[in-house]
Amino acid sequence: GVVFGLSLVYFLSSTFKQEERMVRDRNLLQVQEHEQPIMWKVKFSSGNSSQLSNQCRNSVQGKLLITDELGYICERKDLLVNGCCNVNVPSTKLYSCDSCLPNGCCSVYEYCVSCCLQPNKQHLLERFLNRAAIAFQNLFMAVEDRFELCLAKCRTSSQSVQHENTYRDPIAKYCYGEYPPELLPV
């Protein structure tokens, strides 16, 4: 009887805790009223950086190319010890969109980030943030400035694929634009 009673108490408490978690998760996914703007941490201003002016964050992952937070793209060998691209090297480019299509999708991640950092892309990024689905809101709430937003936006995501295993555009799969590439015919 004691074992049965303890088992019943354990079962009921577990069930109520699970129900509380489900209600909390449902509340997180509820759509906010359209009149209430989403509060984003991203502040758009020129020279936006949380680092000291003589230090740069960069895209890190590129084997051959790197983009720094100022929008410069350079070869990895031309990266300075402070994390910034060496602007005195002729191959270093500012806000380069060399591998990008008009829809904002690029074939090289670093070019996507550099192109996304262009000051004239601010309006596009703000529109994206204001219309972001609630599922993306939690992802993009973690970014603190335009550089982090461009890093996150250019990474491949579920919007870049169709059928969960095929890129919508196998060549230009890194996108900062508002809309994902068109679906390929089946």
Side-chain angles (χ1 to χ4, degrees), residues 58-63 65-67 73 96 99-100 104-117 147-157 171-176:
N58 58 57
S59 57
V60 180
Q61 70 188 41
K63 183 177 177 183
L65 296 172
I66 295 285
T67 300
I73 185 167
S96 180
S99 75
C100 301
C105 292
C106 312
S107 59
V108 178
Y109 175 73
E110 289 75 16
Y111 282 111
C112 179
V113 175
S114 182
C115 195
C116 175
L117 287 169
F147 178 66
E148 289 179 4
L149 176 60
C150 288
L151 287 175
K153 189 95 172 78
C154 286
R155 285 189 185 101
T156 54
S157 70
I171 296 169
K173 54 190 170 192
Y174 307 105
C175 301
Y176 65 84

Side-chain angles (χ1 to χ4, degrees), residues 143-166:
V143 301
E144 293 185 1
D145 58 23
R146 183 171 33 201
F147 178 66
E148 289 179 4
L149 176 60
C150 288
L151 287 175
K153 189 95 172 78
C154 286
R155 285 189 185 101
T156 54
S157 70
S158 59
Q159 286 187 309
S160 300
V161 295
Q162 64 184 9
H163 313 303
E164 298 180 6
N165 63 359
T166 307

Side-chain angles (χ1 to χ4, degrees), residues 62-101:
K63 183 177 177 183
L64 302 173
L65 296 172
I66 295 285
T67 300
D68 68 21
E69 68 182 307
L70 302 174
Y72 287 98
I73 185 167
C74 61
E75 293 180 30
R76 181 172 275 286
K77 66 179 178 58
D78 297 326
L79 193 66
L80 301 172
V81 292
N82 65 358
C84 300
C85 286
N86 184 349
V87 296
N88 298 320
V89 174
S91 61
T92 297
K93 298 176 183 173
L94 179 62
Y95 304 134
S96 180
C97 300
D98 283 359
S99 75
C100 301
L101 301 173

Side-chain angles (χ1 to χ4, degrees), residues 119-130:
N120 65 355
K121 301 291 192 276
Q122 174 180 336
H123 185 65
L124 177 132
L125 293 172
E126 287 175 338
R127 264 198 333 262
F128 166 76
L129 290 174
N130 289 331

